[in-house]
């Protein structure tokens, strides 16, 4: 197995630093430095954005930004994540251009902010819009660690995608409230709403609660878990788990989505009075999921992010039934 991992790692390294790097260079939106002033003449800053995709969730952005940060660092630039210049669901419309929603939840990769580079000599205004598959995050073998690349990306995420101080405080407070003294905990992520009704093309097919129960029961018994930490945005799914498992189901979610149709991100934006706080609640959910002892989940951005941010699970099962057509 170790020999197989070494082969995977070698091939992956060659791929990332040859053909993939060439492809990135010709597909990136704008790689020409702009001169905004005379400051920082010895540095080239790369502003990472995701324009035109306003209603994407925090961890969809996290996954894509992580891949872009890796590329920018390899090119010798300094990455700065921009969720300030364009509207997104975590930024009030009157805050656009004034506050960076990324910094509500995470620190900047290398400490520099948009304001810091306002008068810099070399600034590249980039984009992830045409450059999505920057690492194999949608590959179940990668998520299970079978390709040998997972430790590399965990280390990268741990170093460059650190939580803000306020986010860290929120996570620790909820961890103490929900996890401490409760024994071993199985994290379960079960998506509903737009995934179930809209079946978005090229996104992973999600399991129903009923399809998950058998595997949950096996892991609970085998790993002697005492609680189920449930991550879901869907109130009906929450009720089905509570009916099945009762008080052993715990969650940090205070308000579930009242969903009818369309994009869940837009629904959440229109139904919550404080979307910044809603984003913090979602971040806490995924960070708690990353700190569970075991994991049973469908494959979505939250699952992938929890795996990347975790130190590993005693046992993990991912439902992988292909993608919606």
């Amino acid at each position: 197995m170790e020999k197989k991992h070494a082969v995977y790692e070698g091939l992956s390294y060659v791929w990332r630093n040859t053909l993939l790097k060439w492809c990135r260079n010709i597909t990136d939106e704008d790689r020409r430095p702009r001169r905004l002033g005379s400051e920082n003449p010895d540095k080239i800053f790369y502003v990472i954005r995701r324009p035109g995709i306003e209603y994407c969730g925090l961890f969809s952005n996290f996954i894509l930004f992580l891949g872009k940060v890796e590329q920018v660092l390899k090119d010798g630039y300094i990455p700065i994540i921009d969720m300030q210049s364009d509207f997104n669901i975590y930024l009030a419309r009157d805050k656009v251009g004034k506050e960076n929603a990324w910094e509500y939840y995470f620190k900047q990769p290398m400490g520099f902010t948009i304001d810091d580079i306002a008068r810099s000599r070399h600034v590249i205004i980039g984009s992830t819009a045409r450059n999505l598959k920057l690492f194999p995050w949608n590959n179940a073998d990668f998520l299970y660690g079978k390709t040998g690349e997972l430790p590399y990306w965990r280390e990268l995420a741990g170093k460059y995608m650190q939580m803000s101080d306020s986010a860290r405080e929120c996570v620790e407070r909820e961890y103490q409230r929900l996890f401490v003294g409760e024994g071993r905990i199985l994290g379960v992520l079960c998506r509903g709403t737009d995934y179930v009704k809209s079946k978005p093309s090229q996104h992973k097919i999600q399991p129903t609660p009923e399809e998950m129960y058998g595997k949950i029961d096996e892991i609970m018994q085998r790993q002697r878990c005492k609680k189920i930490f449930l991550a879901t945005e869907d109130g009906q799914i929450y009720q089905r788990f509570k009916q099945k498992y009762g008080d052993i189901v715990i969650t940090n979610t205070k308000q579930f989505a009242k969903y009818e149709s369309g994009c869940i991100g837009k629904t959440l934006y229109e139904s919550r009075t404080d979307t910044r706080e809603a984003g913090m609640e979602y971040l806490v959910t995924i960070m708690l999921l990353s700190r569970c002892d075991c994991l049973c989940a469908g494959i979505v951005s939250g699952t992938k992010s929890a795996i990347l941010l975790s130190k590993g699970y005693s046992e993990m099962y991912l439902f992988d039934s292909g993608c919606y057509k």
Side-chain angles (χ1 to χ4, degrees), residues 34-197:
R34 303 180 186 184
R35 183 165 182 164
L36 304 181
S38 59
E39 295 179 1
N40 303 306
D42 59 333
K43 298 178 177 65
I44 301 177
F45 298 98
Y46 191 107
V47 179
I48 300 172
R49 306 174 303 134
R50 198 181 181 189
I53 311 178
E54 299 95 344
Y55 295 106
C56 285
L58 181 63
F59 284 97
S60 171
N61 289 327
F62 177 93
I63 290 290
L64 296 184
F65 291 161
L66 175 61
K68 196 70 173 182
V69 165
E70 194 252 5
Q71 174 198 336
V72 170
L73 291 170
K74 282 186 173 296
D75 289 340
Y77 307 145
I78 297 172
I80 299 174
I81 294 174
D82 178 6
M83 287 179 63
Q84 173 175 325
S85 301
D86 300 284
F87 167 73
N88 60 80
I89 60 173
Y90 303 109
L91 189 65
R93 291 189 183 275
D94 62 349
K95 300 295 184 183
V96 174
K98 300 174 183 177
E99 295 182 4
N100 195 334
W102 180 255
E103 293 166 12
Y104 299 159
Y105 313 113
F106 295 96
K107 296 178 180 179
Q108 285 290 350
M110 298 185 71
F112 291 93
T113 69
I114 296 294
D115 291 341
D116 291 335
I117 66 166
R119 291 174 292 278
S120 290
R121 181 171 293 182
H122 308 292
V123 179
I124 299 172
I125 307 299
S127 173
T128 63
R130 285 192 278 166
N131 204 344
L132 300 183
K133 295 186 178 179
L134 298 173
F135 67 101
W137 43 262
N138 219 30
N139 183 325
D141 283 344
F142 165 76
L143 296 171
Y144 277 118
K146 294 179 180 179
T147 67
E149 297 174 87
L150 187 56
Y152 170 82
W153 289 98
R154 275 184 172 150
E155 182 179 359
L156 201 75
K159 185 173 182 180
Y160 295 106
M161 311 291 271
Q162 296 183 17
M163 282 186 291
S164 67
D165 292 340
S166 58
R168 192 175 299 279
E169 289 174 6
C170 288
V171 171
E172 191 57 34
R173 184 167 57 247
E174 288 297 274
Y175 178 81
Q176 293 292 326
R177 183 176 73 88
L178 292 170
F179 281 27
V180 172
E182 296 296 341
R184 291 174 64 76
I185 296 177
L186 169 63
V188 173
L189 188 150
C190 186
R191 280 293 311 270
T193 59
D194 54 349
Y195 262 85
V196 173
K197 290 192 176 182

Side-chain angles (χ1 to χ4, degrees), residues 30 52-53 68 167 243 255 260 270 308 319:
D30 185 356
I53 311 178
K68 196 70 173 182
Q243 289 169 7
Q255 180 180 333
E260 293 183 5
E270 293 172 347
L308 285 165
F319 288 83

